[in-house]
Amino acid sequence: MQSSVLQRLMKRFDPGCATVSRMISETLDHPLSPKQRWQLRVHTLFCLFCRRYKRQLLALRKLASTQASEVHCDTADLPGLSDIARERIRETLTSKTEN
Amino acid sequence: MPSQPNNTLPNASSQDTAESPLRWLEEHGDVLYRMALVRVGKPDLAEDLVQDTLIAAWQARESFAGRSSARTWLVAILKRKVIDHFRRSWRHVDLPGELTIDDLSDDFITRGENAEQWKPERAPSEWGDTPEALLHNRQLGSALRQCLAQLPESLAAIFAVREIDGLTTEEICQEFSLSPSNLWTMLHRARARLRRCLEKTGFSPRA
């Protein structure tokens, strides 16, 4: 009896995974309202999938910024300009001297 | 771009000066290209952006005057060129239509007792104890680029300026004339799709 009352209360308070997934994304962009923060905290306490979702969005953010810094520091394992592209750009740059 | 009467590039004999675009191409072309590539995903477009950057840099060379390293200066111009490209292609996107289609509803149960919960087949799987430790995995970087290329252009652009360039949400709203709420929705959709795509291609559930 007690647990079903608790469950009903939880259901009323809990916005559900679809809304919580949006809240998780929004924590990366702006502070949530105090009510949203509580909803998120309580929900993720009980929901394994949303806990994973949160960690994965953080990993995605880290992955994107790691990509950016590796490229910037010239340690990325990415091809550079192809010889053909380099030659084409060189010709375009040189042709400007004739204008 | 300002047009100047003597706005010509140096000829081959004077190429080797510090402020030669041909020298910039030799020394910084690969880095500029890779920076463009991780943002726009398409090699031919990235090449064009490098070329535009070098031309713009040459035209604005007087404003450079050695105040920073050539690379820092060229990188700043390239980043601006990438955002300009995103803004130009933005106009061709049917933004309101895109925002009304809820493509994420596939992830969640829509009716009944379990409405709003993850569909079992779509629920986030375990990526391992420390997904952070996998970040330097080169395959993941390439998976991210492939997944970005599969996003609608506007979502990919928004994700790139936010998470790769690290612009603030205020800056992005201003650049793209978006309300904060529209921006948050777009970022939510971009991240949700990328997460799902990475799960399929980059992270396999632990066996």
Side-chain angles (χ1 to χ4, degrees):
Chain A
M1 179 67 189
Q2 257 189 343
S3 78
S4 95
V5 170
L6 188 65
Q7 275 173 355
R8 279 213 301 276
L9 267 175
M10 283 279 295
K11 263 215 140 77
R12 183 167 293 189
F13 176 78
D14 181 43
C17 302
T19 304
V20 166
S21 74
R22 183 184 160 115
M23 285 183 189
I24 290 170
S25 171
E26 289 194 19
T27 57
L28 301 179
D29 302 313
H30 69 103
L32 299 181
S33 71
K35 183 186 173 190
Q36 285 177 316
R37 281 207 299 276
W38 266 106
Q39 287 177 320
L40 179 59
R41 195 172 297 174
V42 173
H43 181 95
T44 47
L45 201 59
F46 294 100
C47 180
L48 170 67
F49 294 147
C50 287
R51 275 203 303 280
R52 282 182 186 163
Y53 191 78
K54 188 176 169 188
R55 287 180 65 202
Q56 292 171 2
L57 286 201
L58 288 171
L60 175 63
R61 162 164 281 187
K62 196 86 175 56
L63 178 62
S65 65
T66 304
Q67 288 291 297
S69 59
E70 282 189 351
V71 166
H72 195 80
C73 302
D74 218 354
T75 55
D77 186 27
L78 268 176
L81 280 168
S82 67
D83 290 344
I84 297 173
R86 190 179 292 273
E87 192 49 41
R88 188 166 49 75
I89 295 173
R90 179 192 292 275
E91 277 172 21
T92 307
L93 292 175
T94 307
S95 76
K96 297 279 173 180
T97 61
E98 290 157 12
N99 293 337
Chain B
M1 288 180 194
S3 64
Q4 299 165 11
N6 288 326
N7 192 21
T8 55
L9 300 181
N11 57 32
S13 61
S14 61
Q15 271 176 30
D16 212 25
T17 61
E19 285 192 16
S20 153
L22 295 182
R23 185 159 169 180
W24 293 333
L25 175 65
E26 287 312 312
E27 291 184 358
H28 311 295
D30 285 338
V31 166
L32 293 174
Y33 171 74
R34 292 185 192 114
M35 291 193 76
L37 190 62
V38 295
R39 286 163 175 77
V40 301
K42 296 173 187 154
D44 51 346
L45 180 56
E47 290 163 10
D48 290 348
L49 287 164
V50 172
Q51 180 175 296
D52 292 351
T53 297
L54 295 175
I55 292 172
W58 179 251
Q59 287 169 340
R61 63 191 178 281
E62 281 170 13
S63 72
F64 168 51
R67 274 186 299 225
S68 56
S69 80
R71 177 168 297 185
T72 305
W73 181 60
L74 292 169
V75 162
I77 297 174
L78 178 86
K79 285 183 176 177
R80 186 66 246 170
K81 289 281 168 199
V82 170
I83 292 177
D84 288 346
H85 159 75
F86 285 148
R87 284 168 47 126
R88 274 198 307 276
S89 54
W90 193 264
R91 293 190 203 111
H92 306 299
V93 174
D94 182 13
L95 188 62
E98 191 176 62
L99 285 179
T100 55
I101 299 164
D102 194 358
D103 48 77
L104 295 179
S105 58
D106 279 355
D107 282 348
F108 301 99
I109 297 164
T110 49
R111 289 177 198 177
E113 178 87 348
N114 296 325
E116 290 270 304
Q117 292 184 17
W118 292 95
K119 285 180 183 170
E121 70 276 16
R122 295 278 198 152
S125 63
E126 179 59 59
W127 283 8
D129 289 333
T130 53
E132 297 79 7
L134 296 169
L135 290 172
H136 292 279
N137 181 329
R138 304 213 178 278
Q139 284 177 338
L140 264 185
S142 122
L144 177 64
R145 284 191 297 282
Q146 282 171 24
C147 290
L148 259 178
Q150 289 171 28
L151 283 186
E153 211 165 345
S154 57
L155 291 189
I158 284 295
F159 182 84
V161 291
R162 177 76 178 123
E163 304 289 19
I164 298 179
D165 264 341
L167 260 56
T168 65
T169 51
E170 290 79 11
E171 287 169 328
I172 300 170
C173 285
Q174 205 167 11
E175 286 284 355
F176 295 92
S177 308
L178 284 171
S179 70
S181 160
N182 271 1
L183 174 63
W184 300 334
T185 302
M186 294 184 79
L187 284 167
H188 166 49
R189 288 178 184 189
R191 290 175 183 135
R193 285 186 180 205
L194 286 171
R195 188 210 70 81
R196 200 162 66 204
C197 177
L198 277 180
E199 188 159 285
K200 280 191 207 155
T201 58
F203 290 97
S204 49
R206 265 194 306 194

